[in-house]
Amino acid sequence: MSFENIAIQQVAEYWNRRPCNIRHSTKELGTREYFDEVEARKYKVEPHIPSFADFARWKGKRVLEVGCGIGTDTTNFARAGAQVTAVDLSAESMAVAKRRVEVFGLADRVRFFNGNAEELDRLLPAGETYDLIYSFGVLHHTPHPDQAFAKLRSFLAPGGELRVMVYNKFSWKVLWILLSYGKGRFWDLDRLIATHSEAQTGCPVTYAYSRRTGRELLERHGFKVTEVFADHIFPYRIPDYVQYRYVKEWYFRWMPESLFRRLERAFGWHLCLIAEGT
């Protein structure tokens, strides 16, 4: 299934209605307590993010984050000493991210640009390059990912690095979607993945990639992939999780942690790719 005919405004409206992770805290939106809880919850259920981003490594460097959302990773790059340029399609998400860096006294380290990742050359200052281009769980939601990755290459500085996460088609999550919602209708899998890929159902665009097709996506736009790995299986019961309780599904509750980690590396939902320019 192709999502090329989906209007980018439809994608923006979806994320404006409910920015990603916006409900990770019950504290007052925009307060320090709210942002601290959002970060704690995000990294509790996705603990691989800090090591993948490697925030401390980019101290004194220029970081371009494509798809900053409400600014959790943005803030941590800035805290670590990076100069951050953050792009997001959702104006509502960006408003929260701006508030976040203000609350933590980091506004002088972050610039924000609201717009479409497929049109980065129109958004960002001409001639700028970045030591790290980082995008976590974003570019699979744009109707024309190839257009976005083609633009990214021109913004990578010599010796710079791309770190991107897209969804893994051969994952536990996709199997769960297929069995729970698709009733085995594998021929409708692309639509099912899009509909059920996020906490808020009905995402208009979600592509999923294998290790091979993810690598090919980057390589055809001038990147040399140096590492590919899968991570992240969500182990918690959703009815409890939305009530801020962390109760694992019974089949994960009794699984040894070492076995669970092997399962994540084999069938994780997050396909993480690290690349450099060619």
Side-chain angles (χ1 to χ4, degrees), residues 94-146:
M94 185 163 285
V96 179
K98 286 181 177 179
R99 173 60 181 163
R100 185 187 188 106
V101 298
E102 290 168 359
V103 164
F104 290 103
L106 297 166
D108 62 330
R109 305 203 66 85
V110 185
R111 296 181 304 171
F112 290 97
F113 294 88
N114 176 219
N116 182 359
E118 297 175 13
E119 300 177 344
L120 280 180
D121 53 338
R122 300 182 185 181
L123 288 178
L124 302 179
E128 283 197 356
T129 57
Y130 304 90
D131 303 296
L132 171 67
I133 299 176
Y134 175 82
S135 183
F136 197 90
V138 175
L139 291 172
H140 48 228
H141 291 311
T142 197
H144 310 95
D146 276 284

Side-chain angles (χ1 to χ4, degrees), residues 159-194:
E161 195 166 82
L162 171 72
R163 295 189 175 216
V164 61
M165 184 278 278
V166 292
Y167 287 153
N168 181 14
K169 194 164 190 173
F170 297 101
S171 62
W172 180 275
K173 171 82 176 246
V174 170
L175 178 62
W176 179 77
I177 289 172
L178 181 62
L179 297 179
S180 299
Y181 298 107
K183 309 304 181 186
R185 290 180 286 120
F186 61 86
W187 57 88
D188 198 25
L189 186 58
D190 290 344
R191 185 192 62 81
L192 288 165
I193 291 172

Side-chain angles (χ1 to χ4, degrees), residues 58-74:
W58 309 105
K59 180 179 181 180
K61 303 293 186 179
R62 297 157 297 174
V63 172
L64 170 61
E65 183 180 11
V66 181
C68 66
I70 63 173
T72 304
D73 292 348
T74 315

Side-chain angles (χ1 to χ4, degrees), residues 192-226:
L192 288 165
I193 291 172
T195 301
H196 301 288
S197 61
E198 304 300 330
Q200 177 185 347
T201 58
C203 187
V205 178
T206 305
Y207 290 93
Y209 299 88
S210 67
R211 287 168 171 81
R212 178 182 60 81
T213 59
R215 180 186 290 271
E216 290 173 350
L217 174 65
L218 271 59
E219 288 179 344
R220 65 175 167 262
H221 296 296
F223 294 100
K224 178 184 177 183
V225 177
T226 58

